[in-house]
Amino acid sequence: MLGELATSGQPEGDSNAPRDSVDLVQRPEALPRAAELEDARADEQKTADRQRPGDGEQGSTPAANWEVDLATGDMLVSRSWYDIWGFTADQDVNLDIALQHIHPGDSEQTRSAVREVIASGTALRLRFRIIRPDGSIRWLESACRADPPGTGSARRLSGVVLDITQRRSAEEALAHYYDIVSASPDRIAFLDRGCCLLAANAAFLKATAPAREDAVGRPLLELLGPGPLGDLIYHNLGRCIEAGHPVVEDINETAPDGTIRESEVRLFPHRDGQGPVTGIVVNVRDVTSVREAERRLLQSAAIYAATSDGVMITDAAGRIVAVNAAFTQMTGYAEAEVLGRKPSLLNSEWHTKSFFIRMWRRLIKQGLWQGEIWNRRKNGEIYLQKLSLRRITDPRGKITNYVGIFAEPRATSHSLRPTEHGAQYDNLTKLPNRAFFDACLTYALDPGRHPRLPVALVLLDLDHFRHINASLGHPIGDEVLRAIGLRLRETIRPADILARFTGNQFGLLLNGVQAPKEAEEIARRLHLALRDPVPARGHQVFVTASIGIGLDVDADHDADTLIAHAEAALHGVKQQGRDGFHVFVAQPDTAGTAQQRMVNQLRAGLDNGECELHFQPRVDLASGRWVGAQAHMRWHHSELGLVTPERFLPLAESGGVMIELGQWMLAEASRRLQDWIARAVPCQTVAVTVSEPQLTRSDLVTAVARRLKERALPGHLLQLEFAESLLFKHPERVREVFEGLHRLGVGLVVTEVGSSWIAPAVLRRLPISRLMIHRGLIDSIPDSPDDLAVVQALIAMAQALDLSVSADGVRNDSQRHILLNSGCTEVQGELFAPPLSARHFERCLSSAGEPGVNAPTGAEPDIEPEHEPETE
């Protein structure tokens, strides 16, 4: 190898070609040399002799002298050379050994450089890597020359080598930082204390002096000219240089296209190693879009805080990250209580999983979902609200957030007030109730509508539902009813009407049904929807249904007739074993003839024993005893089966049968009272409802007096109930009738109290013994604070007037406790007993004297109700 280096004339490659790892720098002058090396060293003293006089000065620095005899390859080196190359001081070294430790990536280029020095006699400086014996890699810089120089036949090489590993790392880091600064879109510059430009990146030079190549070193004001940036820098020189404080301010600049751009200018004092400020670093950033976004965010934040709609923001995983004050007011949850949680904390559990699946599919696919949803407040109240959901994406289309805007339906001049809403919607299932359904049916069958579409009326009864309540309890029964309502709602079309009538019966009004086959297909879908078990509080409840359908294909039926057809179809299904459906197909007939026939059948039923009285007990809340009963009429049609009061009462009213019906009820109640007295059945009082025609068009006082005389009854055993609306609709007639009945000793009860308005002065002038609060108000407590306040006010008014007060429609213990604590003395409702047949009512009374709140009231074996009994 030594011979190769010594005899080579020129390097194999071009000595001026760029090198990746080795840097060659020509030196025109002689290189610094170490102290004279001794010519001869004894082998045993070689280690000691290699410690040259120059090492005393270089021992603390990473530099070392070296010399190579080209004829023999022997090397004379200083002590620090061993430390740099990683050899031990007693190790023999020569040129071949040193070259073998050069990094393979730099080896050929280093050898070429050595050959160049030998051949040309020029002085060179080169950088290369070595691999030390311990495997570590170091960067070295070596300067060398041939001796004698310029002869082309050099006898030796000499030079100095330095360890530049740390400096090389710093240079690479500086180069990396320079690339970053150069690539930055920000304008970055360094100024000295005299505000002259010492350094700048390309963005600063392009914006400041694009045509000047000598910008560096010139005063900044000369380069910028008059303008906001120069004014800002010169205005803050003292603060930044003398006080050493950074400065951050915004300026407006005019772009080349004439637009106004907003820039954020940052001035940072630069200090040397000793601490004094030597200059200023200037950073100018275009923040036009940022400031515009900030202004929009401030505007959005103001709207977000001030809007009356609740706003909830979640991250992409659906965790809540922010809510506004309206959300807190609406739901009762403070922001700290919901942050990090899922929106499912508002879930009322009144919607099925498929409802939410469809919601999220549409939200993800279309980016927006709008609709109504039942949610639950923190206090447990379930309420209806409008919900708008939007997804938020970044510029690359990745979902970053979801935003939900909650709006409770606002009351307008055309919308329902809370009390009216409660009167038209079922409090348990939140479906429309019977009154709302009847109004929709009447409108759909209105002959004046153009065009009038054919409709189908569906009555759906859950089979043997009372067994669920009896075995699993009413709370589970309520859960099942809500779940069934949701399933039916999802099965029908959005425009169809689904209502819960009472107990376990639902009604559906379907528009555009043209033929019986179409109605049968609807019934099959309803049956399929109820096939799967209903989960309720850990139970899997299986439910079947009987379905009766009435069709209005020819668009010539009235509401009563169509309902009668549906009830007839339902009755037929139950007679055939339930769990099925039937479509009633009427023979050609006119609506007027069908209605009149039903009226005639009702009159005949009063005479031939098709009608009977049921009795719903009235309970004293303090003692739990039965203190009386309210009479309810039931009509068992020979063909249609049980016809509910909601069906035959409108027929009786339109057909002029109300007076006959009222007289029959009064006579039957008197007969039943006489029978119970004769057999010592412990009954207190029986209340009979009086209709408006009875009050206004008949001699009610005379009729009552005759019944009491015929049956030898004391007047206090009979109570007559009058709707609250009659008191102000017929005030003079009411006063006259009430005074006559009071003389007979008959108790006078005002019912439906709270459904309209009545002055306490009117109640004070009349001989009233009891007020009965409307069941619609009772049904909505405790969920509705407004209705609860009305109920408590009515109880307080009755107490002030020294009147007893009762409540109708109590169905759970919560309502019972509230009424008891509010001062209500008597109640009736499903919690205690439904309307019972006379035989069943009598048996309950006789079995325990006067039954308490837990007295048995199961269905009697001789009569099986077709559905849960109802009240008029």
Side-chain angles (χ1 to χ4, degrees):
M1 181 183 294
L2 178 62
E4 176 187 350
L5 292 175
T7 58
S8 252
Q10 294 292 338
E12 296 177 358
D14 185 359
S15 62
N16 296 321
R19 297 175 175 89
D20 296 332
S21 302
V22 179
D23 298 325
L24 300 179
V25 182
Q26 291 190 352
R27 305 274 298 180
E29 304 296 336
L31 296 172
R33 299 189 56 183
E36 284 295 329
L37 300 174
E38 296 180 358
D39 294 335
R41 295 180 178 88
D43 291 342
E44 64 273 19
Q45 296 179 342
K46 184 178 297 184
T47 301
D49 291 340
R50 284 171 181 163
Q51 184 174 349
R52 303 309 304 158
D55 289 346
E57 301 164 0
Q58 300 179 9
S60 60
T61 63
N65 295 322
W66 59 271
E67 186 176 289
V68 178
D69 188 336
L70 295 178
T72 64
D74 292 336
M75 292 186 67
L76 297 178
V77 298
S78 63
R79 182 182 60 187
S80 56
W81 189 92
Y82 286 91
D83 297 333
I84 293 174
W85 283 75
F87 295 120
T88 59
D90 58 352
Q91 186 174 353
D92 291 333
V93 294
N94 56 38
L95 181 60
D96 288 341
I97 293 175
L99 292 176
Q100 289 173 6
H101 282 272
I102 296 178
H103 192 281
D106 301 339
S107 176
E108 181 59 33
Q109 293 159 330
T110 303
R111 295 172 187 273
S112 176
V114 171
R115 287 194 292 267
E116 181 182 350
V117 172
I118 295 173
S120 63
T122 60
L124 294 178
R125 186 177 66 187
L126 63 156
R127 293 182 178 182
F128 55 90
R129 292 166 292 175
I130 65 170
I131 302 177
R132 290 158 52 107
D134 60 3
S136 61
I137 297 176
R138 307 299 293 267
W139 270 98
L140 305 183
E141 181 177 303
S142 182
C144 67
R145 68 175 184 179
D147 187 23
T151 62
S153 57
R155 296 191 303 273
R156 59 182 178 177
L157 295 176
S158 61
V160 62
V161 63
L162 296 90
D163 188 337
I164 61 169
T165 302
Q166 293 183 353
R167 187 173 71 185
R168 180 74 179 188
S169 298
E171 289 174 352
E172 291 177 350
L174 287 174
H176 181 62
Y177 296 147
Y178 178 78
D179 292 340
I180 294 175
V181 172
S182 299
S184 173
D186 294 356
R187 290 173 276 168
I188 303 174
F190 178 57
L191 309 177
D192 63 13
R193 293 178 63 91
C195 210
C196 291
L197 183 65
L198 296 183
N201 69 348
F204 189 94
L205 294 175
K206 181 179 179 181
T208 304
R212 301 197 63 150
E213 298 180 356
D214 58 347
V216 175
R218 291 186 173 277
L220 183 65
L221 186 61
E222 177 183 334
L223 298 174
L224 293 177
L229 179 58
D231 293 344
L232 173 64
I233 294 175
Y234 278 94
H235 179 73
N236 290 281
L237 278 178
R239 181 182 177 188
C240 195
I241 293 179
E242 303 302 333
H245 296 307
V247 176
V248 180
E249 289 189 17
D250 284 0
I251 61 173
N252 291 330
E253 298 179 297
T254 303
D257 59 0
T259 60
I260 302 299
R261 310 292 295 179
E262 295 183 73
S263 298
E264 180 185 77
V265 181
R266 295 176 177 263
L267 306 179
F268 301 99
H270 178 268
R271 303 177 186 272
D272 60 13
Q274 287 70 37
V277 177
T278 59
I280 303 174
V281 178
V282 181
N283 185 293
V284 184
R285 175 172 296 175
D286 189 331
V287 292
T288 305
S289 59
V290 175
R291 294 292 182 265
E292 179 64 24
E294 289 176 350
R295 284 190 289 269
R296 291 182 179 275
L297 284 175
L298 289 174
Q299 295 168 358
S300 299
I303 297 173
Y304 171 78
T307 181
S308 60
D309 292 339
V311 180
M312 177 179 66
I313 303 174
T314 74
D315 59 16
R319 291 181 293 269
I320 299 175
V321 297
V323 297
N324 67 345
F327 175 91
T328 298
Q329 183 178 6
M330 189 178 298
T331 65
Y333 287 100
E335 184 176 28
E337 295 179 286
V338 300
L339 292 182
R341 300 179 66 181
K342 294 293 187 76
S344 57
L345 65 93
L346 303 176
N347 189 0
S348 66
E349 299 181 356
W350 283 22
H351 296 282
T352 60
K353 290 183 179 180
S354 60
F355 172 85
F356 292 104
I357 291 174
R358 290 195 302 269
M359 172 196 292
W360 281 102
R361 282 178 178 173
R362 183 165 184 176
L363 178 61
I364 294 173
K365 184 177 180 179
Q366 301 182 9
L368 173 67
W369 183 90
Q370 290 179 319
E372 290 188 341
I373 189 171
W374 291 98
N375 274 341
R376 187 188 301 272
R377 305 187 205 273
K378 183 180 178 181
N379 62 6
E381 178 187 354
I382 296 175
Y383 65 104
L384 178 66
Q385 65 180 188
K386 294 181 179 179
L387 175 61
S388 177
L389 293 177
R390 289 181 179 275
R391 70 179 183 197
I392 307 299
T393 58
D394 60 16
R396 294 181 295 276
K398 181 180 179 181
I399 297 176
T400 60
N401 297 93
Y402 296 99
V403 176
I405 300 178
F406 301 86
E408 293 192 61
R410 293 176 173 82
T412 65
S413 58
H414 302 290
S415 63
L416 293 174
R417 293 187 294 273
T419 303
E420 294 173 337
H421 185 276
Q424 296 194 12
Y425 284 83
D426 175 54
N427 189 58
L428 176 63
T429 62
K430 302 303 181 183
L431 295 173
N433 62 11
R434 187 60 172 269
F436 185 92
F437 186 86
D438 287 345
C440 294
L441 179 60
T442 301
Y443 175 75
L445 299 179
D446 184 2
R449 285 189 62 204
H450 296 287
R452 176 178 165 182
L453 298 176
V455 299
L457 174 63
V458 181
L459 296 181
L460 184 148
D461 267 11
L462 303 180
D463 298 328
H464 303 296
F465 191 77
R466 66 182 180 278
H467 296 164
I468 296 176
N469 286 333
S471 60
L472 301 179
H474 285 278
I476 293 180
D478 291 347
E479 291 289 339
V480 173
L481 286 173
R482 280 195 290 264
I484 293 299
L486 288 173
R487 289 190 185 182
L488 296 177
R489 177 69 267 179
E490 293 186 345
T491 303
I492 62 177
R493 300 167 298 184
D496 296 332
I497 304 297
L498 170 65
R500 181 193 177 212
F501 286 177
T502 185
N504 60 326
Q505 187 177 83
F506 295 85
L508 296 89
L509 180 61
L510 312 175
N511 290 302
V513 178
Q514 302 282 354
K517 289 186 178 180
E518 188 175 353
E520 291 175 358
E521 180 59 31
I522 293 172
R524 290 189 183 94
R525 290 205 307 269
L526 296 175
H527 256 284
L528 184 62
L530 301 179
R531 176 179 298 175
D532 295 332
V534 178
R537 303 193 180 188
H539 296 271
Q540 297 291 324
V541 182
F542 289 86
V543 180
T544 61
S546 300
I547 301 175
I549 303 177
L551 292 180
D552 180 46
V553 178
D554 298 327
D556 60 356
H557 293 89
D558 61 5
D560 294 327
T561 303
L562 188 60
I563 291 175
H565 291 171
E567 289 180 338
L570 180 62
H571 181 67
V573 174
K574 292 183 176 182
Q575 286 184 330
Q576 295 175 6
R578 305 174 186 265
D579 191 19
F581 62 87
H582 180 66
V583 179
F584 185 94
V585 180
Q587 298 298 324
D589 197 356
T590 63
T593 302
Q595 181 176 353
Q596 186 59 46
R597 186 173 65 251
M598 288 291 292
V599 170
N600 295 335
Q601 290 174 348
L602 177 58
R603 281 196 175 98
L606 294 174
D607 297 330
N608 59 22
E610 291 183 355
C611 299
E612 67 171 338
L613 282 186
H614 282 209
F615 299 89
Q616 185 171 28
R618 193 171 73 253
V619 180
D620 179 74
L621 276 180
S623 64
R625 294 183 174 276
W626 290 7
V627 296
Q630 184 184 39
H632 299 263
M633 178 179 168
R634 294 292 183 263
W635 179 22
H636 294 276
H637 192 279
S638 58
E639 297 178 0
L640 301 179
L642 179 66
V643 182
T644 62
E646 285 76 11
R647 299 281 57 83
F648 67 72
L649 286 179
L651 284 173
E653 186 174 358
S654 61
V657 190
M658 289 302 294
I659 295 178
E660 298 175 41
L661 189 148
Q663 291 175 349
W664 179 89
M665 289 186 65
L666 183 60
E668 184 65 16
S670 301
R671 184 187 68 81
R672 187 61 65 178
L673 276 171
Q674 182 189 37
D675 179 60
W676 285 339
I677 292 174
R679 294 189 292 113
V681 176
C683 178
Q684 298 289 337
T685 62
V686 173
V688 179
T689 302
V690 176
S691 65
E692 184 175 1
Q694 280 182 278
L695 173 68
T696 58
R697 300 203 305 266
S698 69
D699 190 351
L700 181 61
V701 176
T702 302
V704 172
R706 184 170 62 250
R707 296 302 178 189
L708 294 177
K709 184 178 180 180
E710 288 177 355
R711 300 297 180 180
L713 295 176
H716 71 273
L717 292 181
L718 181 65
Q719 291 184 344
L720 297 183
E721 298 180 341
F722 299 82
E724 181 188 52
S725 58
L726 297 179
L727 272 64
F728 57 83
K729 190 174 181 181
H730 306 284
E732 297 300 327
R733 180 61 176 168
V734 165
R735 183 182 300 109
E736 176 185 350
V737 171
F738 275 31
E739 290 176 354
L741 294 174
H742 181 63
R743 288 193 296 268
L744 296 175
V746 175
L748 301 175
V749 182
V750 177
T751 63
E752 301 180 2
V753 175
S755 61
S756 56
W757 178 88
I758 187 170
V762 175
L763 299 177
R764 188 183 297 275
R765 290 195 298 265
L766 297 174
I768 298 171
S769 59
R770 181 164 57 91
L771 301 180
M772 178 178 286
I773 301 174
H774 191 277
R775 68 180 297 123
L777 293 173
I778 303 302
D779 197 43
S780 62
I781 62 174
D783 297 329
S784 172
D786 294 336
D787 289 347
L788 176 57
V790 172
V791 170
Q792 291 173 337
L794 293 173
I795 295 173
M797 179 187 69
Q799 292 173 340
L801 297 175
D802 197 23
L803 299 174
S804 63
V805 61
S806 62
D808 186 21
V810 178
R811 58 187 305 273
N812 56 54
D813 285 327
S814 176
Q815 294 170 346
R816 178 168 68 93
H817 290 307
I818 290 174
L819 291 171
L820 180 61
N821 294 332
S822 299
C824 183
T825 58
E826 300 174 0
V827 296
Q828 64 186 45
E830 297 175 5
L831 177 64
F832 306 98
L836 307 172
S837 68
R839 185 183 306 175
H840 191 187
F841 183 79
E842 176 184 335
R843 187 166 60 250
C844 289
L845 286 174
S846 301
S847 62
E850 295 183 12
V853 68
N854 296 319
T857 57
E860 62 272 34
D862 55 326
I863 298 178
E864 181 181 1
E866 299 298 327
H867 53 79
E868 287 194 10
E870 305 165 333
T871 59
E872 288 86 348

